[in-house]
Amino acid sequence: MPRLTLPPPASQDAAPPPPGDATARVFLMLQGPHGPFFDGLGRLLRDTGAEVWRVAFNAGDAFFWSDKDRLVLHDGAPEDWSGHLDRLIAEKAVTDIVLYGDVRPVHAAARSAAERHGLTLHVFEEGYLRPFWITYERGGSNGHSRLMEISVPEMRAALRGRQGEIPRPPAHWGDMRQHKFYGALYHFLILTANRRFPGYRTHRDISVLREFRLNLRRLLLSPVIALDHFIRSRRIRRSGHPFSLVLMQLEHDASFQAHSDYPDMAAFTAEVLEAFAANAPRHHHIVFKAHPLEDGRSRQRQDIMTKAAELGIAERVHHVPGGKLAPLLGHARSVVTVNSTSAQQALWRGLPVKSMGRAVFDKPQLVSEQDLADFFVHPERPNPHIYRRYRDYLLETSQIPGGFYAARARSPAFRLVVDMMLSTMDPYDALTFGRSEMRQQPGGD
């Protein structure tokens, strides 16, 4: 993607550009977050006068779309999708494609089609500053984001000296329970009501039945997992041992698969453990924190503890199930990850971070450029001034207060994102030209 070219400074008081004639826009929405977010977004886009269509690839997609007259079924095989999409673009005179995540096969095909046909591609993703924001970009996200090519000096120039208070997350926000519920319901619908989609095949490497069982199990065991997390975290905090924290990711996570060179999480954890065993001081420990949505399909805990035993460091290695990250971050010495956006919380706290994959936050003086051997001995801290500029830039551009799953989290996101989608500029160019949207601080009901 092209690098951002900075124009002469624009007036801070410049008005946002007019959104143009929304009645000339035709939005084609593909797969979104589990639940009603895309349906609500589609309703608001229709209110602007735009035409909005949704493609359903399975019963879960169809269930969460209320405008059945504007629903298109893709009932063929995955390999038929690219041709079907080209026909839809021509038949519906599509101007915009909207999707959640850009690397699953049906969305990778859509990204290519948008480039071929000159369409605007709107990409939603979990917040880079999660869990209190969502991400909205154009053209791509994560390793395909324009952020990969925008330097911190360019960010500083685009901000033109504006500096607000870094917003603190609200005391009661977040929608993990709703996320788990909608995930379980989505896969239940695919399992029981998918007759209209004979060609459907999941892009996951497990069956829909197993995915549903894992989602349901995770939902039902949430209280047990939370208690286990609390006990293990408290034991680690009270031990007095300095520890490094490893932020685990879902093995089927698109960012992990598409934007790292590891075939699986076991390869990553083995490399980390070997470097820790060979270089970290003997009284230091290492803690592997599971992703909150880890459902047991992989053998992360077993793989970690088996490797630790082989290296003779089992007593210094800990695994903590999914749960809140802050209690551990508040005591950690450093953080290692592939490319988890949760590393942003560590940078926020001024903790040294080592990223082993391609990430939007991997910028000079933010993420350590040391190898793991040196990092476990004398980890380099991020430059707080650089991080402040980086965070301010994200908050003024692609990060939208809100969430995908709970109603109280969706509403503040909707208030901003529709105007952003109708704008003639993507969020990064809008800030550069002094025409970014007014942002609200995150808050609850």
Side-chain angles (χ1 to χ4, degrees):
M1 298 202 179
R3 287 182 72 85
L4 178 66
T5 301
L6 294 172
S11 167
Q12 291 290 311
D13 298 322
D21 184 7
T23 61
R25 307 281 286 272
V26 179
F27 290 86
L28 184 66
M29 305 184 77
L30 305 185
Q31 290 190 301
H34 296 154
F37 182 85
F38 263 23
D39 186 58
L41 180 61
R43 271 198 320 274
L44 290 171
L45 287 170
R46 286 196 297 274
D47 288 346
T48 70
E51 187 175 347
V52 185
W53 292 84
R54 175 77 188 267
V55 179
F57 297 86
N58 56 55
D61 295 335
F63 179 83
F64 289 111
W65 187 252
S66 58
D67 186 3
K68 302 305 181 185
D69 292 335
R70 293 291 184 272
L71 179 67
V72 176
L73 306 186
H74 178 71
D75 54 7
E79 51 267 26
D80 300 331
W81 165 238
S82 184
H84 187 188
L85 177 58
D86 283 336
R87 292 193 298 275
L88 283 175
I89 290 171
E91 292 169 5
K92 310 296 185 189
V94 171
T95 60
D96 300 73
I97 297 178
V98 187
L99 45 82
Y100 169 70
D102 67 347
V103 296
R104 67 182 69 178
V106 296
H107 288 172
R111 183 156 43 82
S112 298
E115 292 177 359
R116 287 198 310 274
H117 295 282
L119 310 181
T120 301
L121 184 70
H122 306 266
V123 182
F124 287 87
E125 184 55 276
E126 299 292 345
Y128 295 149
L129 301 179
R130 74 172 88 179
F132 311 106
W133 288 269
I134 65 175
T135 297
Y136 166 71
E137 297 180 280
R138 295 189 186 177
S141 63
N142 291 308
H144 297 134
S145 168
R146 285 186 64 186
L147 285 172
M148 300 294 291
E149 301 298 327
I150 301 173
S151 69
V152 174
E154 288 174 318
M155 294 178 183
R156 184 189 300 115
L159 287 165
R160 289 182 295 277
R162 77 171 67 180
Q163 180 174 317
E165 291 298 319
I166 292 184
R168 291 288 173 178
H172 300 287
W173 187 286
D175 44 14
M176 189 57 68
R177 284 177 297 177
Q178 292 90 336
H179 192 166
K180 294 175 181 177
F181 169 76
Y182 285 131
L185 175 58
Y186 182 87
H187 290 98
F188 174 76
L189 291 166
I190 297 174
L191 191 63
T192 61
N194 221 43
R195 291 185 299 276
R196 292 189 295 168
F197 302 89
Y200 174 75
R201 291 200 305 271
T202 178
H203 64 282
R204 307 292 197 199
D205 57 1
I206 63 173
S207 69
V208 175
L209 176 60
R210 187 173 179 218
E211 182 122 20
F212 166 70
R213 287 174 173 170
L214 290 170
N215 274 272
L216 182 61
R217 177 180 179 274
R218 181 181 64 202
L219 180 64
L220 296 176
L221 290 180
S222 291
V224 177
I225 294 171
L227 178 61
D228 188 25
H229 170 87
F230 173 78
I231 293 172
R232 291 177 183 273
S233 296
R234 185 173 65 173
R235 186 180 302 142
I236 291 165
R237 296 196 308 269
R238 293 185 174 181
S239 71
H241 292 289
F243 66 89
S244 295
L245 184 63
V246 182
L247 303 180
M248 302 290 286
Q249 293 168 246
L250 300 176
E251 197 161 273
H252 57 276
D253 175 73
S255 185
F256 172 78
Q257 292 185 337
H259 304 304
S260 82
D261 297 326
Y262 295 104
D264 50 39
M265 287 302 297
F268 164 66
T269 56
E271 180 178 348
V272 171
L273 284 168
E274 288 169 0
F276 178 82
N279 300 281
R282 290 177 178 269
H283 63 293
H284 285 201
H285 286 215
I286 189 167
V287 178
F288 291 83
K289 162 69 172 59
H291 190 280
L293 296 178
E294 177 58 48
D295 55 18
R297 73 183 62 185
S298 66
R299 294 170 44 88
Q300 288 185 7
R301 181 180 176 83
Q302 297 95 316
D303 290 340
I304 289 166
M305 300 315 296
T306 298
K307 184 66 175 180
E310 290 176 2
L311 295 169
I313 57 170
E315 72 283 356
R316 298 164 58 198
V317 177
H318 312 269
H319 180 274
V320 176
K324 291 186 177 180
L325 179 59
L328 285 171
L329 274 181
H331 297 264
R333 180 174 183 266
S334 62
V335 168
V336 179
T337 186
V338 176
N339 51 19
S340 171
T341 53
S342 294
Q344 298 267 7
Q345 297 185 46
L347 293 170
W348 192 351
R349 289 166 170 81
L351 290 174
V353 171
K354 176 64 181 174
S355 174
M356 305 297 288
R358 295 173 289 282
V360 294
F361 54 83
D362 191 356
K363 305 289 185 184
Q365 299 186 66
L366 284 185
V367 171
S368 173
E369 298 181 22
Q370 300 167 282
D371 59 28
L372 275 177
D374 291 336
F375 185 78
F376 281 129
V377 179
H378 296 294
E380 295 175 349
R381 288 186 175 274
N383 182 316
H385 303 292
I386 296 294
Y387 179 66
R388 180 61 182 262
R389 297 290 79 73
Y390 172 80
R391 186 178 178 86
D392 282 349
Y393 184 80
L394 263 62
L395 289 172
E396 291 286 346
T397 54
S398 61
Q399 300 306 287
I400 301 171
F404 293 122
Y405 306 102
R408 65 173 180 170
R410 293 193 298 270
S411 56
F414 286 152
R415 281 192 284 271
L416 279 177
V417 77
V418 173
D419 287 336
M420 293 173 70
M421 294 176 72
L422 295 177
S423 172
T424 56
M425 296 183 179
D426 85 350
Y428 304 120
D429 286 338
L431 178 63
T432 297
F433 284 88
R435 296 177 176 182
S436 59
E437 293 288 339
M438 178 73 70
R439 294 308 173 98
Q440 303 165 341
Q441 298 299 318
D445 292 333

